[in-house]
Amino acid sequence: MNYRLALFDIAGTTVSDPGFVAEAFVGAMTAAGHPIEPETCRALMGYRKPEAIARLLGEAATPAKIEAIHDDFVARMLRCYRERPGVAPLPGAESTFALLRAHGIKVALNTGFSRDIAEAIVTRLGWSGRIDALIASDEVPSGRPAPYMAQALLRRFGIDDARALVKIGDTEVDIGEGRNAGAGLVVAITTGAFRRDELEPYAPDAIVDSLFELPALLGIDASARDDAA
């Protein structure tokens, strides 16, 4: 298959998450009077964040409460990604981006975060020149596993055949997004929220333990990685 677009998740897939996301969820929920444990958040990683908050609130969810908690969550995440140590590319991310682009494959990032958080991460890492596109869950009608972000990027790059898309992510909703978009290859990675045995039931086409493994799945010789980077 002639792949033309690689769509990567951010936190846990291409960027380290030293617990910032769970910490922000716990802090925002607790401040609103709905304390939760960090482990409770794990199953909701990858989802659009207002939807995740609604699920955490359950019957207590109201539009006003969801919005207030999300505003607090966003403020906490922005502080983390702008100021705190530990924000770094995961091994192989930057060299894989460069290698794919050198082979004519567009590199895009998407996320369950809102656009402001996504831009803070890209700015912090200096990635604006390393990727071809960034899209966030608040820019489309519905977040993952719906295919809207992937479809928007396919249109942006004039790609008519969704099978030219490769989706890479660390959660069940990344896998679902790839499937719902009709991606030619859906790859799960174990560097984030879920272990291999937790990802296997969602039947991605491949599961990798590192981004260093991705080029081979696309038929790309990784021996030129250093030159591409």
Side-chain angles (χ1 to χ4, degrees):
M1 183 65 202
N2 182 27
Y3 298 112
R4 297 176 58 192
L5 173 62
L7 178 56
F8 294 84
D9 173 54
I10 299 181
T13 299
T14 55
V15 179
S16 63
D17 175 23
F20 290 159
V21 180
E23 180 184 316
F25 268 131
V26 170
M29 291 290 293
T30 300
H34 299 274
I36 58 171
E37 295 297 323
E39 181 63 20
T40 308
C41 308
R42 196 165 70 92
L44 297 173
M45 295 299 180
Y47 282 88
R48 193 178 194 170
K49 297 308 177 260
E51 180 181 348
I53 291 165
R55 293 187 180 211
L56 290 169
L57 287 169
E59 293 183 356
T62 65
K65 188 172 291 186
I66 292 167
E67 182 178 3
I69 294 173
H70 184 251
D71 287 347
D72 187 6
F73 172 84
V74 168
R76 292 169 187 268
M77 290 304 319
L78 288 173
R79 285 195 296 272
C80 287
Y81 284 125
R82 288 171 177 167
E83 301 170 8
R84 290 178 59 178
V87 180
L90 281 169
E94 293 181 346
S95 61
T96 297
F97 294 168
L99 188 59
L100 268 55
R101 295 177 84 194
H103 283 77
I105 299 173
K106 299 290 187 184
V107 169
L109 302 179
N110 78 340
T111 178
F113 292 138
S114 49
R115 179 80 190 194
D116 47 3
I117 299 174
E119 287 183 344
I121 296 169
V122 170
T123 299
R124 174 79 178 268
L125 296 178
W127 275 5
S128 59
R130 291 183 179 270
I131 62 173
D132 298 292
L134 170 68
I135 192 167
S137 63
D138 60 345
E139 299 179 85
V140 292
S142 184
R144 301 176 300 204
Y148 296 116
M149 287 189 283
Q151 291 170 342
L153 291 168
L154 289 167
R155 290 192 297 270
R156 185 181 305 181
F157 291 115
I159 300 172
D160 297 324
D161 187 351
R163 292 175 298 176
L165 169 68
V166 181
K167 171 62 191 179
I168 308 98
D170 67 300
T171 69
E172 62 174 283
V173 293
D174 289 295
I175 298 169
E177 176 190 34
R179 290 283 179 244
N180 291 332
L185 183 65
V186 178
V187 181
I189 189 165
T190 62
T191 51
F194 298 102
R195 302 185 307 268
R196 177 177 291 267
D197 63 299
E198 293 173 316
L199 293 165
E200 285 173 345
Y202 300 99
D205 296 311
I207 301 176
V208 298
D209 298 314
S210 164
L211 289 172
F212 288 113
E213 300 174 50
L214 181 65
L217 297 177
L218 310 185
I220 295 174
D221 180 1
S223 63
R225 181 183 292 271
D226 291 341
D227 292 337

